[in-house]
Amino acid sequence: MKPHEHAQPPQDYSRYMDLKEGWVDRRIFWDEAIYERELEAIFARCWQFVAHDSQVPNAGDFVTTYIGEDGVIVSRHTDGEVYVYLNACTHRGNKICFADEGNARRFTCNYHGWAYSTAGELLGLPSEHAYDPGDIDRTQWGPRKARVASYKGMIFATFDPEAPSLDDYLGDYRWYLDAFLDNDEGGIEFLPGTIKSYANANWKFGVENFIGDAYHAWWTHDAGGRAMMGGPFPPYDPSDTFQASVNGHGWEFALEGVGDIAILGSQEVIDYYTAQRPKMAQRIGELRARLFGSLASAAMFPNMTFLPGIHTFRTWLPRGPRKLELRIWTVVPKNAPESVKQAINIGCNLTFNPAGTLEMDDGENWEGNTRTNRGWVSRHEKLHYGCGKSRQIEHPELPGIVHEGQFNDANQRLFYQRWADLMNAKSWSEVPQRYTPRYAGRPTR
Ligand code: FES
Ligand SMILES: [Fe+2]
């Protein structure tokens, strides 16, 4: 059986939740067997972010990362294409690249010296005369390659040949992504440097926080918010705030235009975006120009998240059911003046890196959520996800499954719906389509 040919699901994963009633079973954040199925049915199947174009601009540039727990090399080859393949030698399995990023002409394994090209092909092996004719066909022994596709500079990969196209996988979520990736003709770039941190927490707690947990910010981040903004968050006002979900991806947001940007604590950045706003409105429309920079957070299923106005961007890499590796970058508008980029970088790191005023608050909570499941009884208890069950609306402009009110569990419920749909499906053809796209086959900008 090939890795993408999934076995019959060992159980019905829908029993771990009742999203109409509004609860999720705690075992999905703890259980080893459920985690193993996640590696197969979620991570070996879905498109996942692996790099941005700005991280691998030249031939030979590479980064290493993970798809689930599978290490991968993401490299730009001399033909200009980006290739993604397992970071594992096909001889005895050692890593073929130990660096996080760099530029290389080839990757050579430490153990016996097999060498691979930046397109993931086996180039040669030392003492090849030890092999008789017919012992090895080099063309068949490159590391397993993933499918690669990109959206506005963001490079994604999947190991599943049957996965839908990236455009279909993103669906109308592209409409929201454009507010972040394409609000200016220069697009975005990643600033150099990857910050890594680890937490003893289930990967889904990080993602569900970004997909739709504005609720926690007013309580968890009260002190940090006061430090960055000089006062408390304004009282929660549900009017003109929303949660939108497409294919398990989500964006929760207000429409006041500067809430997230203000958290960066730089008047220069606020002024820059205030001046940009009319141009932005011309490019992506009035509504999305207000959406970008507002108090908001977003996540793409399964494990890529970002804060559109705070400019932090991250992936949550699973390391077992009770541990995660977080990778963080600062993203800036490519055409912004250098001083604005620096102000964004400083604000972003003061708030959302492992020592940031807001980040530390969160990690402690997610570790707490995970650790309490140690007890056999606790593990079998439900968690409440029932906020805002009756607030679904049709909106003339906002695509996706839209709910009113930023304090809402809607995006989280729909994230777990997608999770269960994938966990229960033998192949992509069995994954139900729960939303009819408005922009199928069409650009969203
Ligand atoms: S394990 Fe890589 S060359 Fe032998
Ligand atoms: Fe938070």
Side-chain angles (χ1 to χ4, degrees):
M1 195 168 82
K2 298 204 173 106
H4 68 277
E5 292 168 354
H6 301 284
Q8 188 67 33
Q11 51 175 310
D12 175 10
Y13 293 90
S14 307
R15 72 195 174 97
Y16 292 105
M17 60 195 68
D18 186 324
L19 300 173
K20 284 206 168 61
E21 277 187 28
W23 59 261
V24 171
D25 190 304
R26 301 182 78 130
R27 276 173 291 182
I28 73 165
F29 303 105
W30 178 269
D31 187 89
E32 297 275 355
I34 292 176
Y35 175 74
E36 284 298 316
R37 175 70 183 163
E38 285 180 339
L39 291 182
E40 177 187 29
I42 308 272
F43 290 100
R45 210 181 239 175
C46 293
W47 287 99
Q48 279 146 85
F49 171 80
V50 289
H52 185 262
D53 269 340
S54 57
Q55 295 177 290
V56 284
N58 303 310
D61 287 348
F62 71 87
V63 299
T64 54
T65 182
Y66 288 85
I67 294 180
E69 295 217 41
D70 290 303
V72 292
I73 299 174
V74 181
S75 57
R76 195 174 293 279
H77 189 53
T78 46
D79 62 2
E81 297 295 317
V82 170
Y83 293 82
V84 178
Y85 42 94
L86 288 179
N87 185 5
C89 181
T90 54
H91 184 223
R92 293 292 184 274
N94 197 9
K95 256 176 147 177
I96 51 182
C97 177
F98 284 80
D100 289 337
E101 59 183 64
N103 183 282
R105 277 191 293 180
R106 66 183 66 87
F107 299 102
T108 306
C109 178
N110 273 354
Y111 196 0
H112 310 87
W114 284 23
Y116 300 88
S117 78
T118 49
E121 292 146 339
L122 178 58
L123 289 175
L125 31 153
S127 307
E128 201 166 350
H129 58 272
Y131 289 77
D132 294 321
D135 281 355
I136 182 163
D137 173 357
R138 273 197 258 143
T139 64
Q140 300 302 306
W141 286 91
R144 186 181 168 78
K145 282 183 194 167
R147 284 169 66 193
V148 181
S150 67
Y151 185 73
K152 304 202 172 175
M154 310 283 291
I155 305 165
F156 298 89
T158 173
F159 279 110
D160 192 338
E162 290 165 13
S165 70
L166 177 63
D167 271 5
D168 287 346
Y169 181 82
L170 292 170
D172 283 357
Y173 196 62
R174 293 172 300 142
W175 187 91
Y176 293 94
L177 281 177
D178 287 351
F180 182 45
L181 303 178
D182 200 11
N183 64 41
D184 177 76
E185 62 194 8
I188 59 151
E189 66 180 353
F190 277 43
L191 292 182
T194 304
I195 294 171
K196 289 192 224 168
S197 68
Y198 298 86
N200 292 316
N202 185 273
W203 65 274
K204 296 187 289 299
F205 280 127
V207 179
E208 68 146 64
N209 176 277
F210 278 72
I211 213 166
D213 200 327
Y215 184 40
H216 84 289
W218 271 248
W219 189 264
T220 290
H221 299 308
D222 179 52
R226 286 172 198 262
M228 292 307 290
M229 297 185 296
F233 287 92
Y236 170 60
D237 173 3
S239 58
D240 234 11
T241 69
F242 301 91
Q243 295 210 352
S245 172
V246 179
N247 300 343
H249 322 306
W251 194 301
E252 59 84 14
F253 53 97
L255 287 171
E256 53 17 77
V258 290
D260 264 6
I261 288 169
I263 291 174
L264 288 166
S266 161
Q267 192 57 46
E268 188 180 7
V269 178
I270 295 173
D271 292 345
Y272 170 75
Y273 276 118
T274 306
Q276 285 290 107
R277 198 78 60 185
K279 248 176 69 184
M280 217 185 262
Q282 270 185 354
R283 190 172 175 86
I284 54 175
E286 196 66 45
L287 184 65
R288 278 188 287 183
R290 281 200 290 142
L291 185 147
F292 173 76
S294 297
L295 269 184
S297 62
M300 176 182 151
F301 193 95
N303 65 338
M304 173 191 112
T305 73
F306 52 98
L307 295 172
I310 300 178
H311 299 75
T312 182
F313 188 96
R314 60 245 335 263
T315 54
W316 306 81
L317 305 173
R319 293 287 173 270
R322 296 152 220 165
K323 187 164 181 185
L324 63 85
E325 178 179 326
L326 175 58
R327 297 201 174 188
I328 310 173
W329 302 269
T330 302
V331 170
V332 294
K334 194 165 190 298
N335 284 348
E338 221 30 60
S339 59
V340 168
K341 291 182 185 179
Q342 279 318 309
I344 290 174
N345 198 20
I346 290 166
C348 194
N349 281 296
L350 284 175
T351 50
F352 281 97
N353 84 5
T357 48
L358 304 180
E359 181 103 12
M360 285 194 288
D361 301 332
D362 289 321
E364 190 182 11
N365 287 329
W366 303 327
E367 290 196 343
N369 300 352
T370 304
R371 194 168 47 235
T372 56
N373 296 327
R374 177 175 294 277
W376 178 257
V377 176
S378 313
R379 205 179 299 173
H380 289 76
E381 290 293 299
K382 296 170 183 169
L383 296 172
H384 186 268
Y385 283 79
C387 184
K389 282 185 295 186
S390 58
R391 290 202 225 116
Q392 188 175 339
I393 56 158
E394 282 293 324
H395 191 282
E397 279 189 82
L398 297 171
I401 300 172
V402 178
H403 286 71
E404 277 182 315
Q406 201 165 8
F407 287 13
N408 203 316
D409 293 335
N411 278 3
Q412 297 179 345
R413 284 191 297 273
L414 291 159
F415 173 84
Y416 289 114
Q417 176 79 74
R418 181 70 158 179
W419 180 91
D421 285 348
L422 279 153
M423 293 285 275
N424 284 335
K426 244 175 103 174
S427 69
W428 269 103
S429 60
E430 289 182 6
V431 178
Q433 176 89 288
R434 296 190 181 270
Y435 165 73
T436 309
R438 292 186 194 180
Y439 293 93
R442 287 194 294 132
T444 49
R445 188 187 73 75

